[in-house]
Amino acid sequence: MRVLINAIQRTGNPSVIGLDPRPELLPSILLEGAQTPRDVADAYFAFNTAVIDALYDIIPAVKPQIAMYEALGIAGIETFIKTNEYAQSRGLYVLADIKRGDIGSTAASYASHLCGTPQIEGMPRFDVWHEDAVTVNPYLGSDGIAPFVTAAVATNKDIFVLAKTSNPSSSELQDLVIDGSIPHETVAEHVAGLLEEWGESTRDKETGYSHVGAVVGATHPVEGTKLRKLMPHTFFLVPGYGAQGGTGADLAGLFDSNGLGALVNSSRGIIGAWKKAAEIPEFATREDALAFVARSARKAALAMKDDISQAIAQ
Amino acid sequence: MRVLINAIQRTGNPSVIGLDPRPELLPSILLEGAQTPRDVADAYFAFNTAVIDALYDIIPAVKPQIAMYEALGIAGIETFIKTNEYAQSRGLYVLADIKRGDIGSTAASYASHLCGTPQIEGMPRFDVWHEDAVTVNPYLGSDGIAPFVTAAVATNKDIFVLAKTSNPSSSELQDLVIDGSIPHETVAEHVAGLLEEWGESTRDKETGYSHVGAVVGATHPVEGTKLRKLMPHTFFLVPGYGAQGGTGADLAGLFDSNGLGALVNSSRGIIGAWKKAAEIPEFATREDALAFVARSARKAALAMKDDISQAIAQ
């Protein structure tokens, strides 16, 4: 997690911007005349690069959500990978939100996201995804996580495992209380315990944080504060701030006493900030539209940085 | 689920073959000289089509595991999609093992796997994945499942949600007993209840099965029999038979009284059957190797069909 922490300290900004393009988040001029998934994917790439160019000097990381790209098939995934490469070329840490998870032998294939193509005699391993970290789903237990941890350690990258997600129905499974647990713990809290174990042998000597992070939503501040205490060596990725309802005040308990320990995500709140402008001009050209998206995103990202700083300072 | 059930009845065979190529499952001649991920992906496609050609008339469905293709990046995913298209062209039901899952708005993008590219003015929706069903992870709860159900109903396709997976550490989360549940139920059993609810409005009048299936591993026969009773309207996808240790005898309790209700998967046991041949010849050409793979796969698939038939008959 040291690479991420260094980037946060360099920018003084523990936030990550979600690159989750959808048709309704793009100015309509960018999709005018689109006939194929590739046309849409190309528009997404222009949109993403405009956002990255507007933000790369004030944020440590971006979080592309692969679902939006998979929705366009091959052309979309090409844009996803090109976006990752472009973000890395501008010095950003790329946290790919892919939420993969499977049994051990299959998870080993998914771990190629971090460690490159499988070993084949006479062929080098290719970094085909250009990701610095991925999100992982814990439902299958340790044997589905272990290959990701191995790959993360080997490449000095990271994983973030879902513990308590930001969505309303996260309670259905994650808040179930486990029989016989003393003190009573929920499924998410049990996952927290597993997460500390999974990361234990991978802790960074200087910061104390392991290569295994946790996803903990901003929308559950009381539970989040409890999870912070249960996972002292686990860095948090915090979705749910902004468009999903989480506020700066909800974040304080997710950070450690040094003001570290959490990376707060906003997606729509930043890349869709242009839609909330007091006045949206008529765009004469695609360049005009992209420039407006970029200016609005930067303004929103700076406001978010201030909001989080205040939350941590309190 | 009617499309799948019809295919099972037509072939008299409730089994699905996993198309999960990995370097070690291919005769080495197929990877000779491979220099790039695309070379490997092309070898996987040749391997898959040989297996499909050998089996299409005796099986109802194939289950490509996307992890093996993602391991090769874009070239791999192209082979995944081409494999799906080829299998559908031979009349097979394609159950894509993608185990996706996310919050509602993101799950709606993932649902494009079933319902095609997003709606954009002036552009048709493209079927970019060529899948008849997908696997889904329930850790995020109902709002992450609902978009998949909507897409499945709209397209007459299906989803299979993870309940009790086949791997050893599935117990870590899935077997936790929930406090205050009467009678005591595990997380997997709780998911079973949710699954019946999620599928309730989508039940097929003739067969009683909904568009929402469950993944229940063959490696836990006692728990599987219990889950069968808890989910009378839920079709099962059953991994773990064969290479993972599940036997024909373990399967009986997963079927309903009509000998339906479950689709048993084998991957390595079929596509890697050639490696267990009493004598593996030296392959002079790639065609020789593919023919041997194909013959071995057909023999193993027929043996599996017999084994399952016996289990159901008992």
Side-chain angles (χ1 to χ4, degrees):
Chain A
M1 213 57 78
R2 180 95 71 97
V3 175
L4 173 62
I5 293 171
N6 287 347
I8 291 171
Q9 292 181 318
R10 191 178 66 241
T11 53
N13 187 1
S15 68
V16 54
I17 307 308
L19 297 176
D20 309 355
R22 276 181 290 183
E24 63 272 24
L25 286 179
L26 268 63
S28 58
I29 191 170
L30 296 179
L31 292 172
E32 239 168 49
Q35 291 296 313
T36 65
R38 185 156 309 269
D39 293 338
V40 181
D42 288 346
Y44 282 5
F45 187 63
F47 183 83
N48 286 347
T49 52
V51 171
I52 290 168
D53 287 345
L55 301 181
Y56 76 97
D57 58 328
I58 56 168
I59 60 169
V62 288
K63 182 175 78 65
Q65 166 54 260
I66 199 169
M68 282 65 190
Y69 304 88
E70 287 190 23
L72 300 173
I74 281 289
I77 294 173
E78 281 181 2
T79 280
F80 174 82
I81 295 172
K82 275 165 50 185
T83 297
N84 293 349
E85 272 193 281
Y86 187 73
Q88 287 186 334
S89 80
R90 304 235 62 172
L92 293 164
Y93 176 93
V94 174
L95 199 176
D97 200 352
I98 64 173
K99 293 190 178 65
R100 300 304 194 246
D102 214 300
I103 65 168
S105 55
T106 304
S109 287
Y110 275 135
S112 284
H113 273 269
L114 297 178
C115 63
T117 54
Q119 272 181 320
I120 291 170
E121 206 186 307
M123 184 174 130
R125 300 184 76 170
F126 290 81
D127 176 11
V128 282
W129 288 100
H130 303 283
E131 299 161 341
D132 298 297
V134 295
T135 53
V136 179
N137 188 308
Y139 192 69
L140 290 97
S142 303
D143 62 35
I145 302 290
F148 286 100
V149 177
T150 304
V153 170
T155 56
N156 197 26
K157 296 182 176 181
D158 305 300
I159 67 170
F160 290 85
V161 182
L162 305 185
K164 176 65 183 161
T165 58
S166 57
N167 57 318
S169 56
S170 68
S171 58
E172 288 174 8
L173 258 73
Q174 299 162 28
D175 291 359
L176 294 172
V177 175
I178 301 166
D179 186 57
S181 53
I182 302 172
H184 270 191
E185 66 175 7
T186 65
V187 168
E189 290 158 10
H190 187 74
V191 169
L194 292 171
L195 268 166
E196 282 278 306
E197 279 176 36
W198 294 334
E200 189 171 3
S201 67
T202 79
R203 287 181 197 154
D204 176 55
K205 286 206 180 79
E206 196 182 312
T207 65
Y209 286 110
S210 78
H211 283 286
V212 180
V215 176
V216 177
T219 44
H220 318 288
V222 175
E223 177 67 3
T225 304
K226 190 169 177 192
L227 289 170
R228 176 72 282 160
K229 292 197 181 94
L230 289 172
M231 289 186 271
H233 309 94
T234 303
F235 214 90
F236 285 6
L237 166 65
V238 181
Y241 172 88
Q244 286 182 54
T247 66
D250 294 330
L251 300 173
L254 303 175
F255 287 86
D256 64 23
S257 54
N258 301 315
L260 274 174
L263 181 70
V264 182
N265 179 71
S266 180
S267 302
R268 278 169 284 174
I270 308 295
I271 68 173
W274 67 273
K275 295 183 80 169
K276 303 224 165 149
E279 205 172 341
I280 302 175
E282 286 271 337
F283 301 124
T285 65
R286 294 181 183 214
E287 288 65 35
D288 286 350
L290 290 170
F292 190 72
V293 166
R295 272 198 310 278
S296 307
R298 186 171 176 98
K299 205 172 146 192
L302 287 169
M304 179 180 174
K305 180 184 174 184
D306 285 347
D307 190 35
I308 299 174
S309 297
Q310 282 176 26
I312 299 177
Q314 276 165 2
Chain B
M1 215 58 75
R2 182 96 71 98
V3 176
L4 173 62
I5 292 170
N6 287 347
I8 291 171
Q9 291 179 320
R10 190 179 68 244
T11 52
N13 187 1
S15 67
V16 54
I17 306 308
L19 296 176
D20 310 355
R22 276 180 291 185
E24 62 272 24
L25 286 179
L26 269 63
S28 57
I29 191 171
L30 296 179
L31 292 173
E32 237 169 53
Q35 291 296 312
T36 65
R38 186 158 305 274
D39 294 337
V40 180
D42 289 345
Y44 283 5
F45 187 64
F47 182 82
N48 287 348
T49 52
V51 171
I52 291 168
D53 288 344
L55 301 181
Y56 77 96
D57 59 327
I58 55 168
I59 59 169
V62 288
K63 184 174 78 65
Q65 166 54 260
I66 199 170
M68 280 67 189
Y69 304 89
E70 286 191 23
L72 299 173
I74 281 288
I77 293 173
E78 281 181 3
T79 280
F80 175 80
I81 295 172
K82 275 165 49 186
T83 296
N84 293 348
E85 272 193 279
Y86 187 73
Q88 287 185 334
S89 80
R90 302 236 66 172
L92 294 164
Y93 176 94
V94 174
L95 200 177
D97 202 351
I98 65 175
K99 294 192 178 63
R100 298 307 193 244
D102 213 300
I103 65 168
S105 55
T106 304
S109 288
Y110 275 134
S112 284
H113 273 270
L114 297 178
C115 64
T117 55
Q119 272 180 321
I120 291 170
E121 208 186 304
M123 184 175 130
R125 300 184 77 170
F126 291 81
D127 176 11
V128 283
W129 289 100
H130 303 281
E131 297 161 341
D132 298 296
V134 294
T135 52
V136 179
N137 187 307
Y139 191 69
L140 290 97
S142 302
D143 61 34
I145 303 290
F148 286 100
V149 178
T150 304
V153 170
T155 55
N156 197 26
K157 297 181 176 181
D158 305 300
I159 66 170
F160 290 84
V161 182
L162 305 185
K164 176 65 183 159
T165 57
S166 56
N167 57 317
S169 57
S170 67
S171 59
E172 287 174 7
L173 258 72
Q174 300 162 27
D175 291 358
L176 293 173
V177 175
I178 300 166
D179 186 55
S181 54
I182 301 170
H184 271 190
E185 66 175 7
T186 64
V187 168
E189 290 159 10
H190 188 74
V191 169
L194 292 171
L195 268 166
E196 282 279 306
E197 279 176 36
W198 293 334
E200 189 171 2
S201 66
T202 79
R203 288 181 196 154
D204 177 54
K205 287 206 180 78
E206 196 184 311
T207 64
Y209 286 109
S210 79
H211 283 285
V212 181
V215 176
V216 177
T219 42
H220 318 287
V222 175
E223 177 67 3
T225 304
K226 190 169 176 192
L227 290 169
R228 175 73 281 159
K229 292 197 180 95
L230 290 172
M231 289 187 273
H233 309 94
T234 303
F235 214 90
F236 285 5
L237 166 63
V238 181
Y241 172 88
Q244 286 182 54
T247 66
D250 294 331
L251 299 173
L254 303 174
F255 287 86
D256 65 21
S257 53
N258 301 315
L260 274 174
L263 181 70
V264 182
N265 178 74
S266 179
S267 301
R268 277 168 284 173
I270 308 297
I271 68 173
W274 68 272
K275 294 183 79 169
K276 301 224 167 147
E279 204 171 343
I280 302 174
E282 286 272 335
F283 301 124
T285 66
R286 294 180 184 213
E287 288 66 33
D288 286 349
L290 290 170
F292 190 72
V293 166
R295 271 199 310 276
S296 308
R298 187 172 175 97
K299 204 171 149 192
L302 287 169
M304 178 181 174
K305 181 184 174 184
D306 286 346
D307 190 34
I308 299 174
S309 298
Q310 283 177 22
I312 299 176
Q314 275 165 1

